[in-house]
Amino acid sequence: MIINATDLKNNLGKYLRAAEREDIIITSNGRKVARLSAYGDEAYSAEQPPLVRELVEAYCQFPRKATYEEFLQLSENSEERYEYIDGEIYLLASPKTTHQQVLGELFGIFYTWFRGKKCRPMLAPYDITLKRDLENINVVQPDLMVICDLEEKLNEKDYYMGVPALMIEILSESSRGKDSVRKLDLYMSTGVKEYWIVNPFNKEVTVFLFENNDVLKNTTYKKDESISSYTFEGLEVSLSSIF
């Protein structure tokens, strides 16, 4: 059976049951990119490693840790957006309206404040590659980031390979744990200076200042308060302007 990735995503249960009877080939943009097989099927060859044993898992998280090369193969052959953190692959769900409204307000404020300055704000989707060490390579797509060395850190393929000075994540139901724990640790450990966690559910923003792979300061802003950046003096955002 041959189906496309969108059909799989929309009819997951149906194809999981069907995979117990026969292999299912998944296509993207008309190309065969993966196979969904019953667990225990050893039909994969050395030339075609088991990148996706059950593609359903890739739509939330891989069933096992993947190599950086496997992540690149998956992301390059898919129309979906993924993040890769400490060997685990996450599908980025389509953001909801509240998320996009908050992001739009924040970007507007940042765009105006940074206009004419060396540092510039950038929006997702935009891959950021962060290395804990030479072996532990991670790829994330923050909702909003501030980059101060864009021209110096572009590679030959026009991808940014530096570390943003400031990262912002807007929480959603599916990303609370990842953004609040895993990304906080990743950003703290890879040279990001400042991290904002924006919580639209309780209309709060927590700002972290990192130094020497640790949290130097953190402040949570509530109600009608104004957020003050630790890194960029004079950058302030009132909560009432984004919520």
Side-chain angles (χ1 to χ4, degrees):
M1 183 187 300
I2 300 177
I3 63 173
N4 60 47
T6 300
D7 195 18
L8 174 66
K9 186 175 181 181
N10 293 335
N11 299 278
L12 205 46
K14 169 186 173 182
Y15 291 120
L16 276 178
R17 293 188 293 272
E20 296 177 355
R21 301 187 299 271
E22 64 178 307
D23 283 2
I24 298 174
I25 306 301
I26 297 93
T27 65
S28 178
N29 293 325
R31 297 178 57 251
K32 296 177 181 179
V33 297
R35 174 167 53 186
L36 180 63
S37 300
Y39 185 79
D41 188 345
E42 301 302 328
Y44 294 100
S45 67
E47 291 74 24
Q48 185 180 20
L51 180 59
V52 183
R53 174 65 71 178
E54 291 184 3
L55 196 62
V56 55
E57 299 291 350
Y59 282 95
C60 50
Q61 183 176 338
F62 253 38
R64 61 173 176 82
K65 290 202 171 185
T67 66
Y68 177 60
E69 288 72 23
E70 286 176 327
F71 164 74
L72 292 180
Q73 182 180 345
L74 174 67
S75 59
E76 289 173 359
N77 292 321
S78 174
E79 296 176 352
E80 304 288 352
R81 294 169 51 217
Y82 296 97
E83 291 185 314
Y84 180 65
I85 302 174
D86 295 328
E88 295 185 346
I89 296 176
Y90 299 87
L91 172 72
L92 298 181
S94 178
K96 294 185 178 180
T97 300
T98 298
H99 179 284
Q100 293 302 90
Q101 288 176 331
V102 172
L103 179 57
E105 296 294 342
L106 275 171
F107 181 72
I109 294 167
F110 274 54
Y111 179 83
T112 299
W113 197 87
F114 282 100
R115 183 182 295 170
K117 299 179 174 67
K118 179 181 179 182
C119 302
R120 63 182 66 183
M122 301 287 283
L123 281 168
Y126 191 65
D127 282 347
I128 297 296
T129 301
L130 300 173
K131 298 180 181 179
R132 292 187 188 272
D133 53 51
L134 293 178
E135 301 298 324
N136 191 336
I137 303 173
N138 303 266
V139 180
V140 293
Q141 290 193 6
D143 291 311
L144 180 60
M145 66 221 82
V146 176
I147 296 174
C148 298
D149 56 355
L150 187 63
E151 287 75 15
E152 299 95 316
K153 296 295 184 177
L154 290 179
N155 66 15
E156 65 280 359
K157 295 183 178 180
D158 199 37
Y159 288 114
Y160 174 70
M161 301 305 291
V163 178
L166 188 152
M167 300 279 224
I168 296 178
E169 299 287 1
I170 302 169
L171 300 184
S172 63
E173 290 92 342
S174 61
S175 71
R176 285 179 189 240
K178 177 161 62 84
D179 291 345
S180 301
V181 179
R182 304 205 68 173
K183 283 191 173 181
L184 189 151
D185 178 69
L186 176 66
Y187 297 164
M188 179 177 65
S189 304
T190 53
V192 176
K193 294 180 180 179
E194 185 169 331
Y195 179 36
W196 294 21
I197 298 179
V198 179
N199 188 334
F201 304 106
N202 59 13
K203 299 183 179 180
E204 295 179 358
V205 176
T206 300
V207 179
F208 295 88
L209 178 65
F210 300 136
E211 186 175 285
N212 298 323
N213 298 330
D214 202 354
V215 176
L216 181 63
K217 299 178 183 178
N218 68 281
T219 304
T220 297
Y221 298 90
K222 305 177 181 180
K223 297 183 179 179
D224 296 324
E225 296 177 332
S226 291
I227 309 159
S228 295
S229 171
Y230 290 119
T231 305
F232 299 101
E233 185 177 357
L235 174 59
E236 295 188 355
V237 179
S238 65
L239 291 186
S240 61
S241 68
I242 62 173
F243 294 127

